[in-house]
Amino acid sequence: MTRTAQGITPELDLPTEDLPVTDLSDLRPDAPILAPVFREFGGRPRFNGPAVTLRAPGHNPLVRETLGQPGAGRVLVVDGGGALDCALLGGALGELAVTNGWAGVIVNGCVRDTSELAQLNLGVRALAAHPRRSGQERRGERDVPVTFAGVTIHPGDAVHADEDGILILPA
């Protein structure tokens, strides 16, 4: 499937940005859906955009670096390996994401500063909250396929998230 600049998928021949995930799932029953293990932490429950992927286990400098760049409505998808021992995103990075135009962040791991994240116009999904900050070494990889919650997400895939789940339309 190819996503055009107008957000129209040729196979569906209609805009997908404003469709609820349930409707997208009905229209595309083959579209991958992440297992329902993610909690909502941001102030924007519905978000979508092309994926930017990171693999960043236990350390978040690559997350900070990426969110410091123009987001242009994209969604940062961070594979933290499902670790539950530190947070890869907090209030300061959430504010950075909003300032730079990111639509959302999905973390296969933890976040912190949850009351701050809830006040931001940013979609945030993560496994849990944890008060400990991550390591500060620049470890990880950007723009690589990441696999978690039963789905492989590639850079550029269209991410659609709302109150009912997270659906991926492959690029």
Side-chain angles (χ1 to χ4, degrees):
M1 165 163 334
T2 305
R3 183 181 167 92
T4 67
Q6 295 82 22
I8 298 174
T9 58
E11 292 82 357
L12 298 179
D13 196 31
L14 53 94
T16 59
E17 282 83 8
D18 297 324
L19 289 178
V21 168
T22 52
D23 290 349
L24 283 173
S25 177
D26 290 348
L27 291 168
R28 285 290 309 275
D30 60 323
I33 297 174
L34 276 68
V37 296
F38 293 91
R39 292 177 47 199
E40 188 177 310
F41 291 98
R44 185 176 179 183
R46 295 178 180 202
F47 61 96
N48 60 69
V52 173
T53 60
L54 296 180
R55 189 173 296 121
H59 295 264
N60 77 351
L62 194 54
V63 175
R64 176 181 299 281
E65 179 182 305
T66 303
L67 292 175
Q69 299 168 0
R74 295 177 295 172
V75 176
L76 181 60
V77 179
V78 181
D79 184 2
L84 300 175
D85 59 353
C86 68
L88 294 173
L89 178 79
L93 291 186
E95 288 180 19
L96 184 63
V98 171
T99 298
N100 288 310
W102 291 84
V105 181
I106 298 171
V107 180
N108 182 33
C110 295
V111 297
R112 68 186 205 162
D113 303 322
T114 59
S115 62
E116 293 174 38
L117 292 174
Q119 301 302 311
L120 298 176
N121 184 21
L122 179 70
V124 178
R125 297 291 194 285
L127 298 176
H130 197 288
R132 182 165 290 125
R133 71 179 184 166
S134 72
Q136 299 303 305
E137 294 178 30
R138 191 181 184 284
R139 293 185 184 175
E141 300 173 272
R142 181 176 166 167
D143 296 324
V144 295
V146 294
T147 302
F148 55 84
V151 174
T152 298
I153 303 168
H154 294 86
D157 285 353
V159 177
H160 293 267
D162 68 15
E163 300 86 347
D164 290 314
I166 305 169
L167 179 139
I168 307 298
L169 293 176

